[in-house]
Amino acid sequence: MCTISRGKLAKVLKSTSNCIFENLAFEEHIFRVSFVLNSRRHQNPWVEVNIPFVHERNIEIVRRHSGGGTVYHDLGNLNISLLTTHAQHCRPKNLKFISDALNNRFSVNIVPNKRDDMELQPGTRKCSGTAARIAKGQAYHHLTLLIDADLSILSKSLKSPWRDQIESNATRSVRASAVGFLKQDDQKANVDESKSAILEAYRQLFDECQIETVNVSEEIRKSEEISKIVEELKAWKWIYGKSPKFKFSGENGSEIEVKDGLIIGTDEQFSTDL
């Protein structure tokens, strides 16, 4: 779900696609058409993700243009993107608005924290993570919302077996002490009702609010530009190659150096299936 606002006017775009590559490409297209691009931070997927586990489960690895910490998505997760002017960009205000809308609809108590995450109380269970992209005079703030998740798969997906063996200056995710989802606290919570709650609150916030359902898959088929962004997001060069240079230490003390996702140096007796 993507929202675009200027002053007291707003537009909400509801995507019909469940493909994370398509939705990120469509979001990026809107940003590129309207805004000037900015620089990005990059993470290391070998540190952030349990690559063997997600490959076995056919879980896609996707690198966002916005940077920020690593998050897990499935069909019990709602993604929200808010595009505004830089002057209107305020993550704490956005998160309070969304948490209030959900708290009013469900029997939950969601509270934003200082890291611009949202947590379920009691227990400070993280149910939403934030990332943002700011350009010259423009910005977007996008976030996840865990509504009905398999926490076992989430935890295993984000637990790299090589995390402690890699030395790098790549930005690392700050691990949440606990993770939760809305349905834990209210069985009536689901993705459609959560969308409805946020849309209704958003409609009341603006003098004029246009709501559209967008067949993102069809938009991509019609647009060579958006199709190209999808292919860029799926490319090995983007997902793995954009990782900052790092050093991997084996159990026997041997090391390999990796740059742009490729091994550039290795000890003679070192072997790994990294």
Side-chain angles (χ1 to χ4, degrees):
M1 185 168 69
C2 179
T3 73
I4 306 167
S5 61
R6 294 289 185 276
K8 298 300 290 183
L9 304 178
K11 176 183 284 189
V12 179
L13 305 177
K14 297 190 295 179
S15 170
T16 59
S17 175
N18 288 324
C19 175
I20 186 64
F21 291 105
E22 291 185 349
N23 287 324
L24 282 176
F26 187 67
E27 175 192 58
E28 181 67 13
H29 167 69
I30 295 172
F31 192 77
R32 290 183 184 184
V33 167
S34 305
F35 308 146
V36 180
L37 304 184
N38 69 322
S39 61
R40 301 174 286 272
R41 298 179 298 162
H42 297 296
Q43 291 191 309
N44 183 326
W46 288 279
V47 171
E48 301 295 329
V49 180
N50 186 338
I51 294 177
F53 178 80
V54 300
H55 282 178
E56 179 186 329
R57 292 273 180 158
N58 294 317
I59 298 171
E60 300 279 10
I61 299 173
V62 188
R63 185 188 294 278
R64 300 187 309 270
H65 280 280
S66 60
T70 303
V71 295
Y72 172 84
H73 299 286
D74 60 21
L75 294 180
N77 178 81
L78 177 63
N79 296 323
I80 304 164
S81 181
L82 302 100
L83 290 87
T84 65
T85 64
H86 192 177
Q88 288 180 296
H89 176 71
C90 181
R91 285 182 282 183
K93 184 178 178 180
N94 292 340
L95 296 177
K96 185 177 187 311
F97 161 76
I98 292 169
S99 59
D100 285 349
L102 296 167
N103 291 340
N104 290 335
R105 178 66 62 94
F106 304 118
S107 297
V108 297
N109 183 18
I110 301 172
V111 178
N113 65 19
K114 292 181 180 180
R115 289 189 51 80
D116 292 330
D117 298 328
M118 293 195 293
E119 298 175 333
L120 283 162
Q121 304 291 335
T124 62
R125 291 162 291 149
K126 180 178 176 179
C127 62
S128 176
T130 277
R133 192 170 180 189
I134 300 173
K136 193 174 182 180
Q138 313 292 348
Y140 72 66
H141 169 203
H142 58 192
L143 57 137
T144 61
L145 179 62
L146 290 174
I147 299 167
D148 186 8
D150 186 326
L151 296 185
S152 174
I153 293 179
L154 181 153
S155 177
K156 289 176 183 176
S157 297
L158 300 181
K159 191 174 183 180
S160 168
W162 307 305
R163 184 176 177 84
D164 296 330
Q165 295 171 264
I166 290 176
E167 180 184 340
S168 170
N169 62 0
T171 304
R172 293 198 178 205
S173 296
V174 178
R175 304 285 163 164
S177 58
V179 177
F181 54 93
L182 273 62
K183 199 164 186 176
Q184 284 178 317
D185 294 2
D186 188 341
Q187 285 294 309
K188 298 189 298 295
N190 59 52
V191 172
D192 287 340
E193 280 294 308
S194 298
K195 277 194 248 182
S196 173
I198 296 169
L199 285 173
E200 182 58 34
Y202 207 74
R203 186 184 288 112
Q204 294 177 11
L205 188 65
F206 291 90
D207 293 341
E208 183 179 330
C209 182
Q210 182 182 353
I211 298 176
E212 295 180 12
T213 298
V214 180
N215 186 331
V216 169
S217 300
E218 181 62 26
E219 292 297 319
I220 291 170
R221 280 193 290 270
K222 294 188 300 184
S223 171
E224 183 178 341
E225 180 184 345
I226 311 177
S227 296
K228 184 178 178 182
I229 299 174
V230 173
E231 293 308 309
E232 289 171 353
L233 289 171
K234 289 184 175 182
W236 186 96
K237 185 177 180 180
W238 173 249
I239 296 172
Y240 296 100
K242 278 295 182 180
S243 303
K245 183 178 177 181
F246 68 93
K247 189 177 293 185
F248 178 87
S249 300
E251 293 180 358
N252 62 354
S254 299
E255 295 181 340
I256 61 172
E257 288 187 81
V258 179
K259 182 180 180 182
D260 300 327
L262 301 173
I263 294 174
I264 59 173
T266 178
D267 290 347
E268 291 183 3
Q269 298 180 339
F270 187 87
S271 65
T272 180
D273 45 347
L274 226 186

